[in-house]
Amino acid sequence: MRRYALCALLSLMACSDDSSGPGSGDATSTASIAIPPNYGIHDTFVRDGLAFVSAWNSGLLIYDVGNGIKNGSPSDPRLVSTIVTADRGVPGGAQVHNAWWFHDPSGSRRYVFVGQEGPGVIGRSATGDIHVVDVTDLEHPVEVAFYNLAGAGTHNFWVDEAAQVLYAAYYNGGVVALDVSGALSGDLSSREIARVLPGGQSYVWGVQAEGGSVYATDMLSGLWQLQLAGNQFLVAGGGANVAARFTSDLWVRGGYVYTGTWGQRGAVGNAVNVWQLDAQGAPVLVDSVVTDNITTVSDVEVSPDGSLLLFSSENGPRAGLRFYRLTNPASPRFVSDYLVPGGVHTATFALIGGRLYVFAAKNPPEPALLIVDVTDL
Amino acid sequence: MLAVTWADRTPFGDARTEAKVVHPVVMARFARGPFRLDATLNLEAATMRGGELALGVWGEGFNDRRHPHTVAHELIVSVGTRRWSVSVGKGFVPFGSDDPMSRPALRYPVNHHWSQLLERAVTAAGVRVGPAALEAALFNGDEPERPGQWPAWDRFGDSWSARLTLFPAPGLEAQVSTADVASPEHRPGAGPEHRKWSVSLRAELPRGRSRVTSLVEWGRDAELDGFFRYYTALAEAQLERGPARAWTRLERTDRPEEQRVFGDPFRSVRPHFDNSILGISRWNTVTVGAARTWTWRRAVRLEPLAEVTFARVTNVTGVVQTPEALFGRNQLWTASVGLRIGAGAPIHRMGRYGVLANQDLHGHE
């Protein structure tokens, strides 16, 4: 009983319970912004002091967290605007899941790409489009374009901004590459460059372009290395390399890839797999970090300076945020965790005013955008 | 009823045996002039807070366990005549077939959440013309999250239902009903609406010292504009002869598969935060049971019973959670022995308010 009480107290305090390691302090709560329980918050994209909060049918919420447009800061986020993107006939409504504020090579910051996560059967079917929102006037965003892939639904994005190519993980549709150069308007189906189902029957969660390759995590078959050659994807390496668990998110940094796991297969999704990229960029599994008392690693990211690995976790008493030191990137060393009752769906680093923050999507029943200062970790 | 239930297999586990007190209810009816009160107190919150082991049965965040019902199970005041009525309170919505608790089998069917709507704040109106009764209702869409919870009053009226009941001949009752239920599984209201249909035929056929009661029903539940569709078909019959009875039930029902909670494979993650599921499984079940009643001093009824259910579970759309992945195989057994203790009148047909109250299948009141 005492043990449960202590766990509950730790959870309520959302405290960092282990600050071991050189130079490490605590992750400290900076702000918590309640999000309407509609279903809540799914992802956050932070750039130039603006946080683009994907809040399902409440829409895309744009907060000033240090940009200055509304005198906001991480401790005092100010809402700039909200846009509820069109449902485009997808059952369930706007279902705003993720966003990417695109800075093109010319310096234009006109577009935000928004992912719609419609209903689906995980592993088999999905729905939802890519929506393009013009934020030329940040206080009055306007939806201007869309992309639909019939019979499939989009999930996470990565934009190769120099090449002006958006890569979308498209669940049962695999990976899609879109040309996002120039003005975007209406139906973007003609902008499709290529798409691929890397594992045959695939269910692609995440995608990231790095070093001339595109890495994709297929929930069913693991981590793939793809290459965009002209108007087609080539499978360059990886694949069929995670059988014991379902694979979730990924992050590529400095010749390594960190991938999460999800749900329950032979084993539960409590692992982060560490992959080293060989000379051709193909992934080779070198380590796994397993965390007891969680069942999903829902988001993975490395800090901008490459020193910290972060992952968010769900479904279990240790759910929340977890931090590892990457002194040796092949062997992450635990630094600290930050427990959040109900878990965290996604998390992302942001450097604002010289301090390092994590923006975390706290799950229902009381969904919130958590802003945590991790500078001293 | 004290019931000992054995199930083989259980989710992510082996065989399991549990003893629970199930169906602990106190029922009362009061009538004076045009007014009538139907009240049912359900004590499952005290006797089976963690649910009743029942493979295939699901709902309100429970899976392969029947959830406990709310304490105030029925509390309905009706006013009217044989020709018209208005009913207000908390209880059953005029939709679908009889609640399983007042039917022959001990174990609930898989289709409970497709074929009944209950524990809602409801206002219903009914009219009766000859052999036909038409009911329509407004209610709150949210289903309870725990036994002590009352309906979300601010959601009253976000859902509706209508049921046409026909009495074509003595001993026969047919109904067709439809409902539009807003966000039943997400109390704040963000979940999808359920469009429901139910058709059933019920018969009671006395034959000398025996009586045969039977029910056949079909139902459909469509969510997210039909993106998910679930079907159910069920047939059951009971033969009563003196103090003994025997019953059987055949069922084919679809159910959604959802991610289970860490540390409790019988619960799924609540509240939802997206509109995806892990698949649909189809439960083909055969249930047989028998019981005999002894009456003690004309006041207390004791009824030992035994019941066995065989289920063959097939995968309809699942990839990441198939029946084989969940149970290790797709042929499952459940068996129970129990002792039902009752006093006063037998369990009445719940959800029969207003123009359907006091109406048996032979036109008698």
Side-chain angles (χ1 to χ4, degrees), chain B residues 97-279:
Chain B
S97 56
D98 282 352
D99 187 76
M101 197 178 288
S102 60
R103 285 161 40 192
L106 162 68
R107 207 163 353 273
Y108 272 46
V110 180
N111 72 6
H112 179 39
H113 279 254
W114 300 146
S115 299
Q116 289 87 37
L117 287 168
L118 59 158
E119 302 184 313
R120 304 306 212 277
V122 58
T123 295
V127 293
R128 175 81 184 262
V129 178
L134 179 64
E135 304 161 277
L138 292 174
F139 58 100
N140 61 298
D142 54 291
E143 59 190 21
E145 297 171 314
R146 58 183 183 277
Q149 189 176 55
W150 288 86
W153 304 112
D154 60 340
R155 289 192 52 193
F156 174 77
D158 67 4
S159 304
W160 62 268
S161 73
R163 177 168 62 189
L164 175 65
T165 305
L166 301 173
F167 303 92
L172 291 180
E173 174 187 302
Q175 68 84 27
V176 57
S177 50
T178 185
D180 192 340
V181 187
S183 185
E185 295 178 301
H186 191 267
R187 187 173 170 90
E193 69 172 16
H194 291 212
R195 289 287 292 122
K196 303 169 78 75
W197 284 92
S198 170
V199 179
S200 67
L201 176 65
R202 187 173 185 271
E204 285 184 10
L205 303 173
R207 290 288 182 272
R209 292 178 55 213
S210 303
R211 183 172 70 155
V212 176
T213 307
S214 60
L215 169 75
V216 291
E217 70 176 341
W218 173 91
R220 191 189 87 154
D221 184 282
E223 303 172 19
L224 292 157
D225 302 333
F227 188 86
F228 297 122
R229 291 180 184 173
Y230 306 94
Y231 295 91
T232 178
L234 179 150
E236 67 184 26
Q238 173 176 260
L239 170 65
E240 295 172 87
R241 187 173 177 85
R245 64 188 182 101
W247 61 90
T248 187
R249 180 175 67 208
L250 307 175
E251 183 183 14
R252 169 175 285 193
T253 295
D254 299 339
R255 80 166 189 188
E257 295 296 337
E258 298 181 307
Q259 189 173 7
R260 305 296 168 100
V261 169
F262 176 88
D264 188 348
F266 293 95
R267 303 294 291 270
S268 50
V269 175
R270 289 289 192 281
H272 294 150
F273 45 92
D274 62 34
N275 288 323
S276 293
I277 61 173
L278 305 191

Side-chain angles (χ1 to χ4, degrees), chain A residues 39 42 95 120 122 124 315, chain B residues 260 262 272-273 275 277 317:
Chain A
Y39 291 114
H42 275 250
Q95 298 165 104
I122 293 176
R124 182 187 184 100
N315 201 358
Chain B
R260 305 296 168 100
F262 176 88
H272 294 150
F273 45 92
N275 288 323
I277 61 173
T317 62

